[in-house]
């Protein structure tokens, strides 16, 4: 059941009809986790370890979801959604997922390629003319920098692989990015459409030549603007009508509906050597942010979404299924394979790991040195969240917390080790 690309005129009718959300079903709960090769006793080691982080004052709380073979074997909420109010964390808590937004926008670009709306090899300027003449800041030996022209146009594939040379405004020409008011990944407070912000980026000197370095930054925000041009919809409307509604992801959005505000997890900070501190109210990357009461005008494809563990697991299960879930096909198996292949080799710079079209990808398990499988892909978010998909084990893991910064925390490594030690056998395909 391949969804059509909606025109703006049909969008209202689609939303009123509920799009495809009514057809979608939740990931099924495993009756006995042992039936899918998981030990319930060993899963207890994972949940008790997370509880100890809370007891030690290192984590406020969080939610972890583990699915194997399409069966949920663990959906565990621990700690508090709000420590000061002593409000317990709930499995349906809403989390700011920050850079986990990138995977959905990357999928949107591949969907548009499948619809004949664009090609990954296209120059960005075909959709955003402001990028027709971009520049790069080159440091000078005695200090300062020169501004030079790009050697070749930036392509959509460069953006997907973060090799476009575009950072978060803190590179060589940070002074110019600061003067333009474009630094850091937080967008929720901006009272301008993302396209307007992105067009202003194009006039600023980038950090590297296209294709020459892995530079993590605004690439996916720019892709969000491309999605708007290629589809004729706002990014919010495209994701809703083409991905979120078809997959039944009703709790994923850029801004939290006010009736759901009580489910939004509180942000905390953990400084190096310190203890958890509640982040201040207000705007910013290390504050509670404006995800409820903000202007609701800027849809950041790189870091703007709010979601739940269950919603995000449905998106990942779709990818694990080769682009389909519950009879709804969003992508072809070929597109999923392309997204999850290494595209940049040693440019990524992490031993044993490459980078695809929106994800890091495991290439050599022993070189990486942590449990997993070759072909595993995933990423995370700035509020201390992470996820991965392991096709060899038919495994999906989503782990969400709200801690920024999270100095000195080693829970990601513990979660990974304790998920894999709980796998005791294979699961049939």
């Amino acid at each position: 059941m391949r969804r059509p690309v909606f025109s703006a005129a049909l969008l209202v009718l689609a939303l009123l009809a509920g799009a495809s959300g009514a057809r979608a079903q939740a990931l099924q709960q495993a009756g006995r986790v042992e039936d899918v090769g998981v030990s319930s006793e060993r899963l207890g080691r994972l949940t008790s370890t997370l509880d100890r982080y809370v007891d030690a004052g290192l984590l406020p709380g969080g939610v972890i979801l583990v699915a194997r073979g399409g069966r949920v074997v663990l959906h565990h909420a621990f700690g508090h959604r709000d420590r000061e109010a002593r409000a317990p964390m709930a499995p349906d808590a809403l989390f700011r997922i920050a850079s986990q937004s990138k995977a959905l926008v990357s999928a949107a670009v591949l969907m548009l390629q499948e619809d004949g709306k664009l090609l990954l090899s296209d120059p960005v300027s075909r959709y955003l003319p402001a990028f027709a003449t971009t520049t790069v800041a080159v440091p000078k030996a005695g200090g300062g920098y020169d501004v030079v022209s790009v050697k070749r146009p930036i392509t959509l594939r460069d953006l997907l692989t973060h090799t476009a040379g575009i950072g978060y405004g803190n590179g060589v020409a940070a002074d110019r990015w600061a003067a333009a008011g474009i630094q850091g990944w937080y967008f929720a407070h901006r009272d301008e459409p993302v396209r307007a912000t992105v067009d202003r980026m194009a006039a600023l000197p980038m950090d590297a030549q296209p294709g020459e370095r892995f530079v993590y930054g605004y690439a996916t925000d720019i892709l969000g603007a491309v999605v708007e041009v290629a589809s004729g919809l706002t990014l919010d409307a495209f994701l809703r009508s083409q991905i979120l509604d078809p997959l039944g992801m009703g709790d994923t959005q850029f801004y939290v509906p006010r009736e759901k505000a009580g489910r939004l997890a509180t942000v905390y900070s953990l400084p190096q050597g310190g203890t958890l501190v509640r982040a201040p109210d207000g705007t910013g990357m290390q504050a509670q942010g404006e995800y409820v009461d903000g202007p609701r005008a800027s849809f950041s494809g790189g870091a703007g979404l709010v979601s739940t563990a269950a919603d995000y697991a449905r998106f990942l299960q779709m990818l694990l299924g080769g682009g389909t879930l519950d009879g709804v096909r969003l992508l072809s198996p070929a597109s999923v394979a392309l997204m999850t292949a290494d595209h940049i080799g040693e440019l990524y710079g992490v031993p044993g790991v490459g980078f695809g079209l929106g994800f890091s990808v495991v290439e050599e398990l022993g070189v990486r040195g942590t449990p997993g499988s070759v072909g595993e892909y995933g990423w995370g978010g700035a509020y201390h969240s992470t996820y991965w998909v392991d096709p060899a084990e038919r495994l999906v893991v989503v782990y969400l917390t709200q801690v920024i910064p999270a100095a000195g925390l080693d829970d990601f490594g513990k979660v990974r080790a304790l998920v894999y030690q709980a796998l005791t056998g294979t699961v049939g395909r």
Side-chain angles (χ1 to χ4, degrees):
M1 296 178 65
R2 179 67 159 94
R3 81 286 170 279
V5 171
F6 289 97
S7 68
L10 293 177
L11 177 63
V12 173
L13 293 176
L15 293 179
L16 288 174
S20 303
R23 292 195 301 271
Q25 301 173 1
L27 280 166
Q28 296 182 24
Q29 189 78 29
R32 291 179 67 255
V33 301
E34 283 75 11
D35 292 341
V36 288
V38 180
S39 165
S40 56
E41 180 274 327
R42 284 175 168 263
L43 278 178
R45 301 179 186 181
L46 172 56
T47 58
S48 62
T49 296
L50 293 174
D51 291 340
R52 286 197 293 273
Y53 277 96
V54 173
D55 293 342
L58 297 174
L59 285 175
V63 176
I64 184 167
L65 189 150
V66 181
R68 196 177 196 207
R71 298 291 190 269
V72 177
V73 299
L74 180 67
H75 190 188
H76 176 63
F78 60 97
H80 293 92
R81 178 185 56 78
D82 185 323
R83 296 174 81 209
E84 290 71 26
R86 302 199 61 78
M89 186 66 73
D92 68 346
L94 295 164
F95 293 84
R96 305 154 188 82
I97 62 171
S99 286
Q100 291 188 207
S101 308
K102 290 178 169 68
L104 280 88
V105 174
S106 298
V109 173
L110 269 293
M111 291 165 70
L112 287 167
Q113 177 168 264
E114 290 192 356
D115 287 326
K117 301 293 186 181
L118 53 76
L119 289 172
L120 304 189
S121 57
D122 287 342
V124 178
S125 59
R126 181 168 297 177
Y127 307 93
L128 306 175
F131 282 80
T133 55
T134 57
T135 59
V136 175
V138 180
K140 295 194 293 187
Y145 57 87
D146 293 319
V147 177
V148 301
S149 297
V150 290
K151 298 176 182 177
R152 66 163 175 80
I154 298 170
T155 67
L156 301 185
R157 186 165 173 258
D158 292 329
L159 295 176
L160 285 162
T161 57
H162 293 281
T163 58
I166 304 170
Y168 273 129
N170 298 303
V172 179
D175 57 331
R176 297 199 191 184
W177 287 79
I182 308 176
Q183 285 183 311
W185 50 263
Y186 183 79
F187 273 64
H189 67 298
R190 292 187 179 275
D191 195 11
E192 67 176 1
V194 69
R195 170 70 185 276
T197 309
V198 163
D199 279 347
R200 291 195 290 115
M201 289 180 190
L204 300 170
M206 310 305 177
D207 293 342
Q209 289 287 344
E212 294 188 0
R213 281 174 47 201
F214 179 88
V215 180
Y216 192 64
Y218 291 120
T220 315
D221 291 294
I222 299 168
L223 285 171
V226 170
V227 169
E228 293 191 336
V229 173
S231 69
L233 303 174
T234 65
L235 182 61
D236 181 49
F238 183 91
L239 293 182
R240 175 60 54 200
S241 63
Q242 304 301 290
I243 297 178
L244 302 177
D245 279 347
L247 293 183
M249 296 171 64
D251 278 330
T252 303
Q253 57 272 305
F254 285 103
Y255 294 91
V256 178
R258 287 174 177 83
E259 66 272 16
K260 296 183 180 181
R263 292 166 51 195
L264 183 61
T266 304
V267 179
Y268 292 86
S269 299
L270 182 66
Q272 188 69 48
T275 57
L276 282 173
V277 177
R278 186 187 184 98
D281 292 331
T283 296
M285 294 179 283
Q286 296 183 23
Q288 301 303 329
E290 296 194 33
Y291 296 91
V292 177
D293 296 322
R296 299 174 181 257
S298 184
F299 306 127
S300 166
L305 288 170
V306 174
S307 189
T308 64
D311 264 20
Y312 207 82
R314 288 191 61 77
F315 171 71
L316 298 180
Q317 190 69 35
M318 177 274 295
L319 293 173
L320 181 59
T324 187
L325 181 68
D326 293 341
V328 176
R329 178 167 293 284
L330 300 189
L331 289 164
S332 69
S335 288
V336 175
L338 185 65
M339 292 180 73
T340 57
D342 177 30
H343 285 244
I344 64 174
E346 294 182 356
L347 287 181
Y348 184 50
V350 178
V353 182
F355 200 87
L357 306 180
F359 311 98
S360 61
V361 183
V362 177
E363 294 289 291
E364 297 179 79
L365 187 63
V367 174
R368 186 183 69 169
T370 57
S373 302
V374 171
E376 170 200 320
Y377 54 93
W379 201 242
Y383 291 101
H384 198 63
S385 62
T386 191
Y387 70 88
W388 73 90
V389 177
D390 185 336
E393 296 288 356
R394 299 187 65 198
L395 184 71
V396 166
V397 179
V398 181
Y399 176 59
L400 303 177
T401 72
Q402 300 279 255
V403 183
I404 181 172
L409 274 176
D410 64 354
D411 54 326
F412 283 8
K414 294 285 182 65
V415 165
R416 174 173 289 277
L418 292 169
V419 165
Y420 280 100
Q421 63 84 35
L423 306 186
T424 57
T426 58
V427 55
R429 295 189 177 277

